[in-house]
Amino acid sequence: MNKYHKPKVSVVMPAYNEQDNIEWFSKEIASQLKKAGVDYEIYYVDDGSSDNTAKIVTDLAKNDAHIKLIRLARNFGKEAATSAGLHYATGDAVIVLDADGQHPADLIPRFIEEWKGGAQQVIGIRTSNEKAGFVKTVGSKVFYMLSNALGAHVRRNATDFRLLDREVVDTFKDYTERKRMTRALLDWSGYETIFIDFEAKPRLHGVAAYSVRSLIRLALNGYISSTLKPLYIISLFGAVITVLSLFAAAFIIIEQVLLNDPLGLGITGTAVIGIFVMFLVGILMIAQGIAAIYIANIHLEVQNRPLYIVNRARSIISKDNRNE
Ligand code: UDP
Ligand code: MG
């Protein structure tokens, strides 16, 4: 950030059928941005809404050059819409938030303060979401539990409500993978981050578009794109089963064949076949696991994430050296 020019902050909002939330919320955001004393632009990404969302934004934009509209050709989902906004935003920093007004705009000046103080990413942590139903509450608990177990490292209650420095946005633009959970990708990048708690507000108009089914799909995308552990678990199981069956076989051979059944177990042929089947299943699972490891490698190559990310703002390299 150049000290001598007024910094410009872009706000990016994915919007799907938010017609009743556009006017009041964009006003509130603009007044907060003015309060923070920055130049600004407000990007609405209309994610194929079937209501008047695009028309209302278009009308607003006619009278206010700060308002911009990216109109996706159909509904691509929030993750894609957010990515589109990040690709088009031009600010020195970009703030992403939901268009429905659930993310409190009055935190914007604080986000910007932290950014000016040197934070490269400011992330809103949701402390409560009263309106969330039982299924979503339990579902999110399970999601974070599994994330930890699988090593996907999604920070608990970290939301999409966040400010990103230009450098973080530029790095984000390099990601080509398709199945994505925007915030998991951003978390993977690293960068110096500050967390700010907030309480999610109730939705004033419209309905939450995310059904439980689409949330499960998003969670799966999050896992698949950020962890390979499930692939390795199969072969681990296989190995355990094989080893157990070998122990059982050794026991039978010693007890039954060599020592002539001193324990009087009278092990039957069926039991021997059972152990043999167990052995074979174990071998099959190991084989499957080996194939899975190759698939994991293909997955990583296709994902094509950057090999490393240089935190340029924190490095000592000449400005024009973009050796990446
Ligand atoms: N959204 C979107 N495309 C979709 C679904 C949702 O751009 O297909 C937007 C929506 O307009 C809102 C944000 O994503 O600004 C969060 O959606 P929602 O309020 O439905 O989810 P929740 O608040 O339950 O997380
Ligand atoms: Mg919402």
Side-chain angles (χ1 to χ4, degrees):
M1 192 190 9
N2 184 338
K3 268 188 195 151
Y4 302 101
H5 88 287
K6 201 173 173 185
K8 178 172 169 188
V9 173
S10 307
V11 167
V12 163
M13 284 182 280
Y16 176 65
N17 291 347
E18 302 287 3
Q19 58 179 11
D20 298 322
N21 293 315
I22 307 282
E23 256 170 84
W24 68 271
F25 197 50
S26 66
K27 245 186 230 149
E28 198 175 322
I29 287 170
S31 85
Q32 294 296 343
L33 287 162
K34 281 179 200 148
K35 204 157 132 195
V38 291
D39 275 342
Y40 67 91
E41 61 183 4
I42 299 176
Y43 262 103
Y44 274 100
V45 185
D46 170 39
D47 186 16
S49 298
S50 54
D51 68 355
N52 281 326
T53 298
K55 184 177 179 307
I56 290 168
V57 178
T58 310
D59 288 347
L60 284 180
K62 276 182 195 144
N63 300 315
D64 184 351
H66 294 110
I67 307 257
K68 316 269 184 203
L69 171 66
I70 298 169
R71 204 169 171 189
L72 300 188
R74 63 166 168 85
N75 181 255
F76 283 92
K78 180 184 177 182
E79 305 302 314
T82 307
S83 293
L86 287 173
H87 290 165
Y88 278 83
T90 62
D92 301 303
V94 181
I95 297 176
V96 180
L97 74 174
D98 284 358
D100 58 7
Q102 289 195 275
H103 294 156
D106 47 14
L107 276 182
I108 287 177
R110 243 189 95 196
F111 273 44
I112 293 175
E113 247 358 91
E114 298 289 359
W115 169 60
K116 284 182 172 166
Q120 295 175 299
Q121 197 176 190
V122 186
I123 298 183
I125 303 286
R126 191 178 51 218
T127 53
S128 77
N129 191 357
E130 279 149 34
K131 277 280 158 72
F134 177 75
V135 178
K136 277 193 184 176
T137 316
V138 173
S140 101
K141 285 233 166 74
V142 172
F143 170 70
Y144 288 115
M145 236 168 60
L146 270 177
S147 297
N148 268 344
L150 295 175
H153 296 302
V154 185
R155 197 187 155 98
R156 190 181 196 88
N157 291 339
T159 58
D160 292 312
F161 182 23
R162 39 180 84 194
L163 176 147
L164 314 170
D165 182 68
R166 168 54 41 195
E167 180 164 342
V168 182
V169 177
D170 283 344
T171 302
F172 180 81
K173 283 167 132 177
D174 289 339
Y175 293 124
T176 55
E177 64 198 72
R178 311 181 62 77
K179 296 261 171 200
R180 52 173 63 191
M181 182 187 249
T182 312
R183 61 193 146 103
L185 265 182
L186 288 167
D187 291 343
W188 183 84
S189 313
Y191 288 108
E192 286 177 28
T193 303
I194 280 191
F195 299 94
I196 291 183
D197 289 348
F198 76 91
E199 242 172 71
K201 297 184 177 179
R203 202 178 228 287
L204 292 186
H205 303 281
V207 289
Y210 268 92
S211 62
V212 171
R213 216 178 81 203
S214 50
L215 283 174
I216 290 175
R217 196 181 313 134
L218 178 65
L220 281 179
N221 280 347
Y223 292 145
I224 290 169
S225 74
S226 54
T227 174
L228 297 171
K229 265 195 192 160
L231 289 176
Y232 299 119
I233 289 173
I234 308 171
S235 44
L236 191 70
F237 268 136
V240 170
I241 289 177
T242 307
V243 169
L244 284 181
S245 73
L246 286 177
F247 272 120
F251 176 77
I252 290 179
I253 290 171
I254 294 170
E255 204 269 351
Q256 196 85 9
V257 183
L258 297 182
L259 304 179
N260 232 337
D261 201 8
L263 302 176
L265 295 177
I267 291 167
T268 60
T270 323
V272 173
I273 290 176
I275 286 165
F276 191 59
V277 168
M278 190 172 149
F279 174 75
L280 286 183
V281 167
I283 296 287
L284 280 178
M285 283 175 80
I286 292 174
Q288 216 173 39
I290 291 172
I293 291 167
Y294 281 90
I295 293 173
N297 274 357
I298 296 170
H299 177 80
L300 286 178
E301 295 295 341
V302 173
Q303 236 179 1
N304 196 22
R305 287 208 187 159
L307 197 55
Y308 55 84
I309 295 171
V310 174
N311 192 338
R312 274 189 236 111
R314 298 286 182 272
S315 307
I316 305 170
I317 32 181
S318 51
K319 263 246 155 69
D320 48 354
N321 188 346
R322 294 180 61 100
N323 194 21
E324 285 135 47

